Amino acid sequence: MSSPISDEEQVNTAYEDVRSDSTDTIWLLCLYEGKEIVLSGTGSDYDDCLAQLGEDVRAYVYLRVETGDEMSRRAKFAFITWIGLAVSPLKKAKVSTDKAFMKKILTQFGKEILADERSELKLEKIEKILESASGAAYGTGR
């Protein structure tokens, strides 16, 4: 089976940018255009990413979140699959097989999140999911 990703090198470059401590890029977004998955964009404001996730959209998001407390701050990463509620069952099914191709590029993440409701995409919720996945917190939470 051939990859549905139109430009894997472009997606990999964006992935490395999100992972880099020397840039302010915190997300990358890949959307479907027909049967292909394309890099739709990257950015430093998560709201810009969220604005592109409509009810009829299938997407993959790679998100960088700073977690921890005053004892240790570190970057954590989430791999988010978004399937809007208006997406047809056939297209929803395609996402499950295509996700494997995305995971070959977006290999490092603390948590995988499947979302179909906007509330599941709130930054605060994702931060909590990543913090709980990272283990014990030793500081006071400040």
Side-chain angles (χ1 to χ4, degrees):
M1 184 182 218
S2 65
S3 175
I5 302 168
S6 67
D7 189 341
E8 291 187 19
E9 189 172 316
Q10 185 184 35
V11 175
N12 189 62
T13 299
Y15 166 73
E16 294 298 334
D17 190 36
V18 173
R19 291 199 55 80
S20 173
D21 291 333
S22 62
T23 72
D24 63 353
T25 304
I26 64 163
W27 60 265
L28 73 79
L29 173 65
C30 291
L31 299 173
Y32 281 82
E33 284 185 6
K35 294 183 179 184
E36 285 191 326
I37 300 169
V38 299
L39 179 67
S40 176
T42 63
S44 58
D45 185 346
Y46 182 53
D47 288 335
D48 293 340
C49 177
L50 293 178
Q52 299 181 60
L53 302 179
E55 293 300 312
D56 60 343
V57 171
R58 297 172 293 160
Y60 303 96
V61 177
Y62 188 70
L63 178 65
R64 176 189 186 103
V65 175
E66 295 291 324
T67 66
D69 52 38
E70 80 282 1
M71 300 287 289
S72 69
R73 300 284 303 163
R74 66 184 71 86
K76 296 288 179 185
F77 301 89
F79 173 61
I80 303 165
T81 303
W82 167 257
I83 304 173
L85 292 173
V87 172
S88 73
L90 193 59
K91 288 182 176 181
K92 284 180 184 178
K94 187 80 174 113
V95 170
S96 63
T97 56
D98 290 347
K99 188 190 305 188
F101 291 101
M102 292 301 299
K103 286 182 171 181
K104 286 181 180 177
I105 300 172
L106 312 177
T107 58
Q108 302 290 315
F109 50 89
K111 203 69 174 163
E112 180 177 346
I113 299 166
L114 176 60
D116 64 2
E117 292 184 20
R118 301 288 294 183
S119 64
E120 297 170 315
L121 298 174
K122 289 184 178 171
L123 187 57
E124 300 78 27
K125 183 168 185 153
I126 294 169
E127 286 172 342
K128 284 186 175 135
I129 290 169
L130 288 171
E131 284 174 10
S132 65
S134 68
Y138 296 105
T140 60
R142 294 187 208 166

